[in-house]
């Protein structure tokens, strides 16, 4: 059993190396696009929740917002990243208040991330409540949102290669910070959330320092 776990860990590391060396997905360019989104206002788009109801992004203003993009057919990194985000969100709610901010997880693979698929994903990850919505969108909305958030997703034979990125938005709908990685230091999310709630300047963490601490920045699936 221990040998199996070691093999899985090695495959995960190899997977990250494959993406970093890929000519198809330029990680440096993806990071630049992501960082360039900071300071932009969110686009005015509308989604569909698992019950088929429309949810306008603008309706979530008034509180800080965390946006996480996933594709539901990803059974490895998106699931692990969402599970870890849930852990951090729970700690943030304990520290800052259970209804002090909102979270949305949005499926970007519009052919498959239907309301039913998002409902199943939410059940698997044990997420989703009044302050954490799981949402679907159509292709046109996806094109607008991904460009707005600086989110790059490259189709591959294995699914999609994309940054593991959580976007922090302030209560007026301005993109304030990007948090990267399958796992990340908890203060990287809680500290800026606290600053937004208190009306304080966001903590400045050197970008390269944030990046180099990450074991995995990119979601991909190792193809033997």
């Amino acid at each position: 059993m221990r040998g199996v776990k070691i093999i899985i860990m090695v495959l995960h590391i190899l997977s990250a190396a494959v993406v970093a060396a890929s000519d198809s997905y330029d990680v440096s360019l993806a990071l630049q696009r992501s960082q360039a989104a900071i300071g932009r206002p969110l686009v005015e788009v509308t989604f569909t929740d698992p019950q088929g109801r429309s949810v306008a992004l603008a309706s979530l203003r008034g509180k800080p917002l965390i946006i996480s993009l996933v594709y539901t057919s990803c059974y490895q990194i998106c699931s692990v990243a969402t599970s870890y985000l849930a852990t951090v969100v729970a700690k943030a709610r304990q520290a800052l208040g259970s209804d002090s901010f909102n979270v949305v997880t949005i499926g970007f693979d519009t052919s498959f991330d239907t309301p039913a698929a998002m409902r199943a994903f939410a059940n698997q990850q044990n997420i989703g409540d009044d302050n954490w919505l799981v949402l679907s969108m159509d292709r046109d909305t996806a094109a607008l949102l991904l460009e707005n958030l600086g989110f790059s997703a490259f189709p591959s034979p294995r699914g999609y290669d994309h940054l593991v990125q959580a976007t922090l938005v302030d209560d007026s709908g301005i993109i304030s910070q990007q948090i990267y990685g399958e796992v990340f230091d908890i203060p990287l999310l809680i500290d800026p959330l606290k600053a937004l709630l208190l009306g304080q300047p966001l903590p400045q963490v050197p970008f390269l320092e944030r990046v180099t601490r990450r074991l995995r920045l990119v979601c991909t699936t190792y193809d033997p």
Side-chain angles (χ1 to χ4, degrees):
M1 192 62 161
R2 178 178 176 83
V4 173
K5 291 181 178 179
I6 292 174
I7 291 172
I8 292 173
M9 290 175 62
V10 171
L11 290 180
H12 277 197
I13 294 171
L14 285 174
S15 174
V18 167
V19 173
S22 172
D23 293 329
S24 300
Y25 189 84
D26 189 325
V27 178
S28 296
L29 180 59
L31 287 168
Q32 291 174 20
R33 290 188 62 193
S34 175
Q35 285 289 293
I38 294 174
R40 293 176 186 164
L42 283 180
V43 290
E44 301 286 345
V45 290
T46 301
F47 308 98
T48 304
D49 74 6
Q51 288 71 45
R53 298 172 300 200
S54 294
V55 177
L57 201 54
S59 70
L60 300 174
R61 289 182 184 170
K63 297 179 183 179
L65 173 66
I66 301 166
I67 301 176
S68 172
L69 291 163
V70 301
Y71 70 102
T72 58
S73 58
C74 174
Y75 297 109
Q76 294 183 9
I77 308 309
C78 285
S79 295
V80 172
T82 301
S83 178
Y84 183 75
L85 180 61
T87 299
V88 179
V89 165
K91 292 181 180 296
R93 286 176 169 176
Q94 184 177 13
L96 305 174
S98 60
D99 63 347
S100 59
F101 60 94
N102 292 315
V103 186
V104 292
T105 295
I106 307 169
F108 68 82
D109 185 2
T110 57
S111 297
F112 297 98
D113 294 340
T114 62
M118 294 307 297
R119 182 191 304 113
F121 183 83
N123 290 338
Q124 291 165 3
Q125 300 305 314
N126 195 29
I127 61 172
D129 54 37
D130 289 343
N131 297 309
W132 189 329
L133 303 179
V134 289
L135 304 170
S136 299
M137 57 183 170
D138 61 31
R139 184 173 298 181
D140 290 341
T141 300
L144 289 172
L145 182 67
L146 269 58
E147 178 67 24
N148 183 230
L149 298 179
F151 183 86
S152 301
F154 184 84
S156 74
R158 302 174 301 276
Y160 290 90
D161 295 340
H162 66 88
L163 285 180
V164 183
Q165 167 183 310
T167 299
L168 181 60
V169 181
D170 71 14
D171 59 4
S172 64
I174 303 298
I175 298 170
S176 298
Q177 203 160 96
Q178 308 280 24
I179 298 97
Y180 305 106
E182 179 184 12
V183 298
F184 51 84
D185 296 336
I186 291 176
L188 287 176
L189 181 58
I190 293 183
D191 286 355
L193 265 175
K194 181 179 178 181
L196 289 177
L197 289 168
L198 296 177
Q200 298 174 346
L202 290 178
Q204 298 299 311
V205 179
F207 173 60
L208 290 179
E209 181 182 352
R210 292 206 306 269
V211 170
T212 54
R213 288 179 181 177
R214 306 295 174 268
L215 173 62
R216 185 187 297 276
L217 290 176
V218 177
C219 173
T220 190
T221 303
Y222 178 65
D223 183 356

